[in-house]
């Protein structure tokens, strides 16, 4: 027979699927012999059954309740000496929108007297009773919390909560019961077991609360996991000044000292800390208030760390001098703390370096690489919003997109401030150093687009009153007008008035080749060194200039995975490119190509020098030619209004000829190479000649946008002739960026020595949307609807794009076992995507220079994690 | 040990892979006891070996040659009584560009006298000898044929070939030998065995001639098949007036009579018929010339038809009254003949109706459905080009695209005449009734684009001298200027001066519900009836109006597979759609939707009525909204030049807001539905209410552009509510047109009751090119390069798009076994694609009304063919 209820003595920390995170950890602590109030967990399986047929495992609950009563020597809701319990939800993953906790179950008009008698504290008993009704009313009976809050405020009438008397609370109980009757049409349930069952059911129900459903959709948490429910004997931190409640980390993430990082609130229950009714005191004060409890707590912290081999966060309550542990879990931490703590734990012998690497994420490393606002500099914090896209931006506040563009054109740094952004704001966002909005969350338009651009963004700063018409915002008493300087911190969500000095990141300086200056950099250095030793993926960079290549090499890049030659066609070469496009005869075209060739050769020579001894993958020209010509609308207007000259008219003809409705799906990549005689040949010759003259060049020639092996064969044949002619060796391979290339990879590998997954285009074509067009128009809506958990341009879509990559990898290697495989889309620097690439067995990832350290770390983590799961 | 040479007595018609088509059929006839000159075949395997290591199976050839000599009682090139042989290539598929034939091998300065003595005809002997040197020189030694032709012309000096004497030919032999020495630097080889070996090697070499390679690439014929070589004892049709040569079909494809359809040329060899040195006589004349040979020929024709159970074409030679069969194969035939002959053979008991259906193709049926030029009307044929895109078009000749657009705007019908077309001619091609070019083949820009548009096209009419500057073309003595009427026949390639009357197709009239008027229509009727009985695929139509739906139903459509609702948003509803797009408040938007709803309901009611009792699949709005607004360039110019009004300025703002760089990859399909509140709901409600009021409506609601199951779930949820609300049942399904939909079909099937493959978009996104943009810009180049054999928009790309369909079909059905599967891209009417859909196991194909009969026939053929191969 299935078992739906587990006593805390029956579980352990590895049963999170069944008992939820909270229940599993309570059981773990119980079995460690730590002072956990007795209790039991109703499993996630019971939740699933409840949702299927509405039934609770009533008898099992009764059995366990009886056991609990026996252990405590009290009966639930007994009139003389009542056992009280809390009911707490506890899913495998914590989830906003789910019911949290109902305390003091078991109180009613009779047992409140028993509690008063037993505790010798009538005020406490009536306070506890009103808390039950309030919490039960809100979370189980779905009554607006404001009704209870308002009643309490009326009663307090300005007094502190400690000033309220037993009589006051008794009156409040009456008021609260009236609220319940009025709002639900029935009396507050006085039967303790009914209270318990209703609370359990409410927890189960809350699994499907809209916010929880949305969150799961966005986070791709399966909807059918269900939540567990913990029923725990109550202990009270509000029995007097010898009681209290606290939260803590087991060690200070900055300094590493144990027992110093937390808050304690005497004579209070847990929810009072959250509500902030009085100021908490630092945890260290407890040493003075209750030295024995403090020592015991320190001892427990040490045991927990030893046991969990990690920094934990805990909740505890002291009831008349007796310490009780209410919760523990591996603690969340800042990016810097992650590295520091991991290395400390290594030095303490608790974990090995493999484990340390696993505990430091690439996202955390990336945070440490951004410049930050100086912490010690004087600043005026205006408000905090959501940390939507990291970085530290300073600039003049502007309130319209047009104004942003205007000032930016004059060289001013601006911050675009809007209630919320929409696609019309795109140009303004591009022109700004940062974006600040008063509405919308991390999936809002502003947040999504800013992240896509790598632009600092704080969103949903709800205290801002943005007045676009009058070009100003107000917050607190401060009014900020257009042109006033503000500073926004995309990593913390802080918004400051005035210019806050920005300090460079010591971690970035270290990666740039600087010294190891402090313990944080030391920690990063040790973690990175170990990750590099562990990883199987090489990390290359996407770089088009010798400067970028050299910087990436300092960051640890092992070659260039993508050099986009189109970037070399801009600037003062535009005229030559124009000549090429406007050529009317083969001779004119060849003349333009001949003029470009030595320039290209110089370009490539610089890259080969910067990356001497390492592979350099050069992609032949990819974008449609009209990208090198003026915009059709602008030019048409200029010509039509007579503002253009004769050359404009000629240009317009060419622009019209080359105009495509969907340039992304047009004449570009290998198609250009096959249609424009001599273009690819010129590039290949420039590569070959530069490689021949360079010291230790390892050229790899990459053909873009191949969809059929025949395309590649045609280009390859010509390229091989040129290479033989110049007398240089180079690999010839292809991007896999068109779905057909992935689907027919087995054929394509016959003509390719390497594949490089161009996951930007591959994502666009697999989903059928162009990033430029759709990120602005519907991605935020899609994220809200949970259609994406994360933009597929940010992190590889495993089911769709990923599956195509899997097919291409397997079938490409089946054709050519030594096929070299890499990725050069922006996903190459995204942590989750790096892991996927490792799982796929690619040879390397390639990313922008600044993401190289992130990719190195994540490649190491992926290798260690896979090893772990392989040997498990 | 491998056997590389087969005597004709050792082979049979099923050994085409090994012996090539010609060799296999010669062996078959030999074994039937027909009079075939003895000979042997060197296999394709020998060719493959030759290409690998350059070796010929010399001993085997010697053995078989000795056997041949024994059978003939002569020795190859013997001075007294020489055996002469022909060497003929014979691959599995016949292929332009490959070497055809060398006759008279074995002649040299000595054996020519033996031949003269034995034949008693010195003139014949020297003529044969000069023919050998000429053919050998051209095809084996690669000497320009013009050199020989010129020498002959100089010799003839205006005389007929029959006037040339033995002495003349003897002189010509000397001249020819000089040409060979001059051109090759060595003497014409006089050793008979050397002649033979060189000719065999030349055939093998010609397998890799550029034209043959290109043809194979385009036709997707594997390059490593190789060709066989046939060595056949010579028989002579040029030994006097009791000799001759002829070609024939075994029956007249029009009337069905045997022995009446062919040409005979007395006293000549085969190549003379091709060269047209004298006029041939109709085959029937042979009855008078040589009644005994004629009777034998008729008898052989009957035997061949009985044996091959099909119309055959044959080549024969009569040598001094003795009939020899030189070749046979199943004969090519016109579309009408295919149907007539198939049914005749059924009636004669030679084949069954299954076989008859297999022998009539959808392409042939489609040809019969086009109107044609009246055959008996007086007409003036100007020239013939290639039949690039079928149909009969009449109009005024124009020579520039602009002029075509200009005249078409005035309601004139025009034919665009160009040397060749390029992407700039697109608008002109759209405006014209037909396109005529003087250059380029069936893969030229004009041909590819015209076929894509379904527009009549004749291309590569090389006799035309097109003078664009002076707006005229000349052909023969005729000059045709702008505005002169011409008629072009895209099915035959004919170009006529003036207006040729067009007659409707009786087959089309039959499909329209007309009577069975003649034997052709009878044949079509019987074939179609049987195909319908055999097929497993249903055939639906793509139709947006009740008229189209009704017509398609007459053509045999079993429902609507695709109704594009966007076509209902045009015309006088444009204003409402504009209101919808320009709405600034939810109320304004809802008002526009409310106004559209009753109109949509009427639209759907009409379709349900026309298709009562049959399924009607309605696709919700698909295209990006800006398609309903003016063009951005035009509007910008109008506003900038002050030509626009206040509304234009407002429109421009909206157009700019909605502008997308790549609308194909933008805000469209299900994305629109999820972003614009109420839009899909309005359409679903209109469908539901129309269905409720209709007599026997079977509505299927189709969501476009789904890439993730979550998108479909969101729309489906809302649609189900509306259907429940109205009280109507309808299937809800999705297009599979984004690669990701195919790749994640297993998930999507959870929310879809049917899939319809939108292979237009699926092809675009799988290849990463947009049809509109690329057909014009590089498809012709790709076809020339052999990257495509056929445009993937014309016929399904099996390896790429087809594989995605295979994945989606298998995984969709795995999730939902009763998933309904269809195709609604234009491929639904393409024969090869219909076969693929049958193989995939789809439930239906849907195509334009006019392709419905084609799809019915091909679905029947596919079913019969599969059955055949299953039971084989």
């Amino acid at each position: 027979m299935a078992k739906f209820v587990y006593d805390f003595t029956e579980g352990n920390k590895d049963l999170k699927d069944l008992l939820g995170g909270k229940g599993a950890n309570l059981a773990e602590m119980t079995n460690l012999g730590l002072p956990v109030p007795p209790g039991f967990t109703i499993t996630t399986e019971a939740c699933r059954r409840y949702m299927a047929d509405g039934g609770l495992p009533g008898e099992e609950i009764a059995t366990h309740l009886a056991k609990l009563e026996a252990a405590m020597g009290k009966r639930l809701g007994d009139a003389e000496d009542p056992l009280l319990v809390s009911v707490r939800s506890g899913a495998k993953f914590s989830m906003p929108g789910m019911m949290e906790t109902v305390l003091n179950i078991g109180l009613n008009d009779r047992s409140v007297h028993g509690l008063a008698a037993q505790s010798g504290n009538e005020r406490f008993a009536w306070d506890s009773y009103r808390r039950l009704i309030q919490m039960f009313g809100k979370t189980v009976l779905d009554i607006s919390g404001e009704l209870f809050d308002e009643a309490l405020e009326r009663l307090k009438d300005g007094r502190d909560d400690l000033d309220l008397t037993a009589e006051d609370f008794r009156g409040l109980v009456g008021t609260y019961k009236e609220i319940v009757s009025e709002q639900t049409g029935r009396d507050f349930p006085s039967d303790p077991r009914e209270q318990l069952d209703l609370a359990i059911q409410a927890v189960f129900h809350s699994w499907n609360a809209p916010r929880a459903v949305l969150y799961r959709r966005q986070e791709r948490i399966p909807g059918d996991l269900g939540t567990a429910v913990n029923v725990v004997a109550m202990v009270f931190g509000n029995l007097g000044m010898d009681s209290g409640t606290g939260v803590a980390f087991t060690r200070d993430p900055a300094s590493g000292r144990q027992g110093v990082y937390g808050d304690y609130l005497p004579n209070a229950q847990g929810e009072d800390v959250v509500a902030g009714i009085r100021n908490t005191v630092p945890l260290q004060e407890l040493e003075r208030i209750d030295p024995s409890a403090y020592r015991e707590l320190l001892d427990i912290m040490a045991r927990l760390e030893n046991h969990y081999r990690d920094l934990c966060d805990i909740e505890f309550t002291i009831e008349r001098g007796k310490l009780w542990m209410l919760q523990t879990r591996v603690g969340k931490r800042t990016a810097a703390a992650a590295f520091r703590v991991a290395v400390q734990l290594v030095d303490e012998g608790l974990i090995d370096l493999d484990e340390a690497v696993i505990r430091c994420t690439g996202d955390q490393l990336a945070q440490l690489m951004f410049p930050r606002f100086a912490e010690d500099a004087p600043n005026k914090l205006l408000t905090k919003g959501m940390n939507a896209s990291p970085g530290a931006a300073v600039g003049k506040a502007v309130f319209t997109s047009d104004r942003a563009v205007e000032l930016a054109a004059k060289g001013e740094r601006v911050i675009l401030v809007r209630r919320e952004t929409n696609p019309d704001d795109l140009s303004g966002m591009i022109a700004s150093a940062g974006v600040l909005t008063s509405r919308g969350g991390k999936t809002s338009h502003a947040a999504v687009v800013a992240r896509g651009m790598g632009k600092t963004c704080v969103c949903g700063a709800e205290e801002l009153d943005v007045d676009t018409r009058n070009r100003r915002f107000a917050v607190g008493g401060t009014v900020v007008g257009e042109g006033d300087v503000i500073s926004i911190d995309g990593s913390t969500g802080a918004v400051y008035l005035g210019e806050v000095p920005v300090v460079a990141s010591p971690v970035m300086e270290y990666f740039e080749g600087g010294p190891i200056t402090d313990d944080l950099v030391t920690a990063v250095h040790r973690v990175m060194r170990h990750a590099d030793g562990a990883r199987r993926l090489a990390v290359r960079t996407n770089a088009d200039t010798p400067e970028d290549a050299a910087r990436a090499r300092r960051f640890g890049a092992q070659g260039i995975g993508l050099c986009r030659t189109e970037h070399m066609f801009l600037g003062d070469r535009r005229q030559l490119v124009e000549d090429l496009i406007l050529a009317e005869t083969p001779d004119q075209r060849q003349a333009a190509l001949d003029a470009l060739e030595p320039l290209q050769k110089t370009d490539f020579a610089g890259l080969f020098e910067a990356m001497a001894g390492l592979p350099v993958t050069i992609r032949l020209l990819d974008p449609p030619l009209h990208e090198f010509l003026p915009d059709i609308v602008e030019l048409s207007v200029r010509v039509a209004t007579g503002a253009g000259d004769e050359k404009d008219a000629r240009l317009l003809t060419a622009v019209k000829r080359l105009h495509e409705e969907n340039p992304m799906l047009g004449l570009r990549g290998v198609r250009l190479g096959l249609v424009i005689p001599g273009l690819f040949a010129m590039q290949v010759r420039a590569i070959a000649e530069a490689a021949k003259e360079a010291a230790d060049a390892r050229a790899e020639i990459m053909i873009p946008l191949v969809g059929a092996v025949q395309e590649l064969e045609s280009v390859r044949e010509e390229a091989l002739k040129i290479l033989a002619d110049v007398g240089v060796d180079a690999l010839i391979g292809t991007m896999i960026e068109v779905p057909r290339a992935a689907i027919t990879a087995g054929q394509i590998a016959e003509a390719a020595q390497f594949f490089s997954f161009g996951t930007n285009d591959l994502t666009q074509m697999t989903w059928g949307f162009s990033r430029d067009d759709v990120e602005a128009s519907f991605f935020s809506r899609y994220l809200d609807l949970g259609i994406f958990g994360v933009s597929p341009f940010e992190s590889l879509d495993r089911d769709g794009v990923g599956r195509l990559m899997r097919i291409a990898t397997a079938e490409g290697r089946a054709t050519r076992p030594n096929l070299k495989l890499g990725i050069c889309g922006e996903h190459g620097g995204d942590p989750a995507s790096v892991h996927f690439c490792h799982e796929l067995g690619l040879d390397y990832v390639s990313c922008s220079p600044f993401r190289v350290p992130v990719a190195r770390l994540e490649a190491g983590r992926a290798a260690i994690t896979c090893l772990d799961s392989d040997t498990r």
Side-chain angles (χ1 to χ4, degrees), chain A:
Chain A
M1 207 187 76
K3 176 173 167 67
F4 291 112
V5 184
Y6 283 70
D7 193 84
F8 287 167
T9 56
E10 295 176 309
N12 67 61
K13 73 174 161 44
D14 298 325
L15 292 181
K16 288 203 175 71
D17 283 345
L18 191 65
L19 305 179
K22 189 176 289 170
N25 284 324
L26 283 170
E28 190 75 13
M29 288 198 291
T30 302
N31 292 324
L32 281 175
L34 302 186
V36 176
F40 54 86
T41 304
I42 304 164
T43 66
T44 55
E45 218 172 303
C47 176
R48 290 193 289 274
R49 211 189 56 167
Y50 174 80
M51 287 185 295
D53 64 14
L56 285 185
E59 280 186 31
E60 264 191 270
I61 293 173
T63 309
H64 281 268
L65 184 58
K67 222 168 120 190
L68 181 59
E69 288 173 333
M72 300 297 288
K74 302 178 177 188
R75 288 193 37 244
L76 182 70
D78 185 78
E80 306 300 321
D81 183 8
L83 168 67
L84 303 186
V85 297
S86 66
V87 168
R88 295 164 186 263
S89 71
K92 184 174 180 187
F93 308 98
S94 80
M95 216 166 285
M98 277 187 55
M99 198 198 107
E100 285 291 331
T101 302
V102 181
L103 301 179
N104 303 340
I105 280 176
L107 281 176
N108 55 26
D109 290 353
R110 277 165 298 126
S111 60
V112 68
H113 297 294
L115 182 64
Q118 291 293 330
S119 64
N121 186 334
E122 193 161 358
R123 179 183 177 283
F124 157 73
W126 285 102
D127 183 22
S128 298
Y129 191 13
R130 71 92 193 169
R131 284 174 191 259
L132 168 64
I133 302 172
Q134 185 171 5
M135 290 173 125
F136 196 96
K138 258 174 68 178
T139 58
V140 179
L141 303 177
D142 215 16
I143 297 168
S144 162
E146 286 176 15
L147 297 174
F148 298 108
D149 294 341
E150 284 163 9
L152 178 59
E153 288 308 312
R154 275 198 306 275
L155 175 67
K156 278 163 79 173
D157 195 20
R159 289 177 296 174
D160 190 273
D161 67 312
L162 291 178
D163 298 335
L164 296 181
T165 64
E167 215 35 50
D168 285 333
F169 283 125
R170 185 203 296 263
L172 195 58
V173 164
T175 313
Y176 279 7
K177 287 207 282 193
E178 276 165 30
I179 292 172
V180 170
S181 304
E182 269 167 28
Q183 295 294 317
T184 65
R186 34 169 307 200
D187 288 344
F188 178 75
S190 61
D191 176 42
R193 179 63 201 264
E194 189 189 355
Q195 290 173 0
L196 179 60
D197 286 352
L198 286 173
I200 292 168
Q201 289 173 11
V203 172
F204 285 164
H205 272 295
S206 71
W207 174 257
N208 281 325
R211 270 186 62 202
V213 171
L214 177 61
Y215 181 84
R216 284 199 298 272
R217 239 192 239 162
Q218 292 176 349
E219 300 292 320
R220 286 283 184 277
I221 298 172
D224 56 359
L225 289 181
T227 181
V229 178
N230 301 291
V231 177
V232 195
M234 284 296 303
V235 292
F236 297 96
N238 55 345
L239 273 174
M241 291 312 287
D242 58 352
S243 303
T245 189
V247 296
F249 282 89
T250 52
R251 73 173 63 202
D252 180 340
S255 70
R257 270 180 60 210
Q258 279 186 348
V260 296
Y261 201 84
D263 299 298
Y264 182 69
L265 189 59
N267 196 15
Q269 273 195 322
E271 80 264 28
D272 298 331
V273 180
V274 180
I277 53 164
R278 274 173 284 134
N279 283 342
T280 57
V281 299
L283 186 62
Q284 293 93 309
E285 296 278 309
L286 184 60
E287 186 169 13
R288 190 184 48 73
I289 298 170
D290 188 339
S292 134
Y294 182 66
R295 273 193 307 278
E296 189 183 356
L297 186 63
L298 281 198
D299 180 53
I300 287 173
M301 284 190 185
R303 288 187 63 190
L304 283 175
E305 280 209 342
N306 272 309
H307 188 71
Y308 281 90
R309 300 180 308 116
D310 204 352
L311 174 154
C312 297
D313 75 15
I314 57 171
E315 291 178 20
F316 64 92
T317 281
I318 297 173
E319 183 182 278
R320 290 186 171 152
K322 161 76 179 147
L323 176 66
W324 294 99
M325 300 300 295
L326 299 188
Q327 176 166 342
T328 191
R329 61 185 173 193
V330 168
K332 291 194 164 42
R333 63 205 75 183
T334 65
F339 283 85
R340 282 202 185 98
V341 169
V343 170
Q344 282 162 10
L345 292 175
V346 170
D347 290 341
E348 290 171 21
L350 279 177
I351 62 174
D352 60 14
L353 268 165
D354 273 3
E355 184 67 29
V357 168
I358 288 180
R359 291 186 185 176
C360 300
T361 68
D363 281 339
Q364 288 166 330
L365 182 62
Q367 282 178 38
L368 296 178
M369 292 173 69
F370 280 103
R372 278 172 309 169
F373 289 126
E375 274 168 32
D376 44 2
N379 66 53
K380 186 174 173 203
L381 181 70
L382 287 175
T383 185
K384 276 192 102 171
M386 277 182 250
N387 51 341
S389 180
V394 179
K396 292 183 173 173
V398 292
F399 295 83
T400 65
S401 216
D402 288 348
R403 190 72 180 139
V405 172
E406 201 181 317
L407 289 185
K410 291 185 188 156
E412 307 257 24
R413 292 181 65 79
V414 299
I415 307 278
L416 181 64
V417 185
R418 304 282 289 165
R419 269 205 204 90
E420 54 201 340
T421 60
N422 65 45
D424 292 343
D425 292 315
L426 215 55
S427 56
M429 294 178 74
I430 293 170
S432 304
V435 180
L436 169 63
T437 69
S438 60
R439 290 201 200 140
K442 286 192 181 182
T443 63
S444 67
H445 178 268
V448 171
V449 176
R451 277 200 301 275
M453 295 178 183
K455 191 142 291 194
T456 301
C457 175
V458 172
C459 69
E462 297 186 349
E463 293 173 347
L464 290 193
D465 183 6
V466 178
D467 180 354
T468 305
R469 184 181 303 265
N470 294 307
R471 303 187 170 196
R472 65 186 183 203
F473 69 80
V475 54
T478 314
V479 173
V480 173
E482 185 177 285
D484 295 344
V485 172
I486 57 173
S487 304
I488 62 173
D489 187 334
S491 310
T492 65
V495 180
Y496 303 101
L497 184 63
E499 176 171 351
V500 181
V502 172
V503 289
S505 147
V507 171
M508 178 62 99
E509 285 171 349
Y510 155 72
F511 281 127
E512 282 273 20
I516 295 175
T517 46
D518 62 11
D519 62 335
L520 173 59
V521 175
T522 307
V524 168
H525 172 71
R526 290 173 63 187
V527 166
M528 292 303 293
R529 203 174 45 188
H530 193 74
D532 281 337
R535 68 189 156 93
R536 203 188 57 210
L537 280 171
V539 175
R540 297 196 194 175
T541 192
N542 300 349
D544 312 330
T545 64
E547 296 70 37
D548 274 359
R551 157 174 275 160
R553 194 167 187 168
R554 290 196 298 276
F555 285 3
Q558 297 159 285
I560 291 181
L562 172 63
C563 159
R564 285 162 293 233
T565 52
E566 50 269 28
H567 291 175
M568 304 168 170
F569 277 48
L570 300 174
D572 47 2
R573 303 187 190 168
R574 225 175 233 288
Q575 186 54 51
L576 291 176
V577 178
E578 237 177 68
D579 291 349
L580 172 67
I581 298 172
L582 300 181
E584 282 170 5
T585 67
D587 286 352
Q588 287 174 0
R589 186 176 55 233
Q590 195 54 50
L593 289 171
D594 288 347
L596 278 166
E597 189 179 314
L599 302 173
Q600 285 263 280
K601 186 178 160 190
T602 312
D603 297 332
F604 300 138
L607 290 175
F608 289 138
E609 194 189 328
M611 279 287 172
L614 296 175
V616 173
T617 307
I618 296 168
R619 180 175 73 185
L620 303 187
L621 195 69
D622 182 50
L625 290 186
H626 65 74
E627 284 201 7
F628 302 99
L629 298 180
D631 175 69
I632 189 168
V633 174
E634 232 168 72
L635 194 61
S636 297
V637 166
R638 201 151 71 225
V639 170
T641 55
D645 54 17
E646 191 269 340
K647 193 188 149 202
D648 282 336
R650 230 161 47 93
L651 269 177
L652 182 57
T653 310
V655 168
K656 277 187 180 162
R657 177 164 50 83
L658 294 172
H659 181 68
E660 295 180 315
E661 282 305 313
N662 297 279
M664 189 80 73
L665 301 177
L667 182 58
R668 49 178 287 236
V670 67
R671 303 161 193 166
L672 269 184
L674 291 172
V675 166
I676 300 187
L679 175 63
F680 277 11
M682 179 275 285
Q683 293 200 293
V684 171
R685 189 170 292 277
I687 292 169
E689 293 192 340
K692 193 177 185 182
E693 292 171 19
D696 189 6
R698 291 174 50 197
E700 303 186 348
I701 297 171
M702 182 153 74
I703 317 301
L705 219 72
V706 164
V709 67
Q710 293 88 342
E711 295 174 307
L712 186 58
E713 278 167 355
S714 286
V715 174
R716 177 184 161 80
E717 209 171 305
E718 188 181 22
L720 285 176
K721 272 186 206 138
I722 295 168
L723 291 175
D725 193 28
V726 178
V728 155
D729 253 357
L731 296 189
I732 298 178
T734 181
M735 303 274 286
I736 301 287
E737 55 185 339
V738 168
R740 193 177 190 279
I743 283 285
T744 64
Q747 295 171 20
I748 289 176
E750 285 170 16
Q753 290 171 291
F754 63 89
F755 284 175
S756 179
F757 289 102
T759 49
N760 295 352
D761 263 300
L762 192 59
T763 299
Q764 297 195 116
M765 292 175 188
T766 303
W767 281 92
F769 45 52
S770 118
R771 180 171 196 170
D772 290 341
D773 291 318
V774 300
E775 255 187 0
S777 69
F778 68 83
F779 264 36
S780 60
R781 175 93 179 122
Y782 265 39
L783 288 162
D784 279 348
L785 286 171
I787 290 169
F788 307 140
V790 55
S791 157
F793 291 114
E794 247 178 275
S795 196
L796 265 174
D797 152 37
R798 291 189 173 217
D799 289 353
V801 177
R803 182 165 177 205
L804 287 175
M805 291 172 69
R806 198 181 297 280
I807 290 172
T809 300
E811 300 182 6
R813 284 219 171 108
T815 297
R816 185 188 288 259
N818 66 345
L819 185 71
K820 229 174 169 181
L821 291 163
I823 178 175
C824 64
E826 282 171 46
H827 297 102
D830 166 67
S833 310
V834 171
H835 283 249
F836 183 68
C837 292
H838 174 89
E839 286 164 34
L840 269 188
L842 301 194
D843 296 303
Y844 67 87
V845 297
S846 185
C847 55
S848 68
F850 288 104
R851 298 297 288 185
V852 165
V854 173
R856 284 165 52 202
L857 175 56
E858 289 293 350
R861 297 181 71 227
I864 294 167
T865 314
C866 280
L867 205 64
D868 263 21
S869 60
D870 285 352
T871 54
R872 214 174 264 157

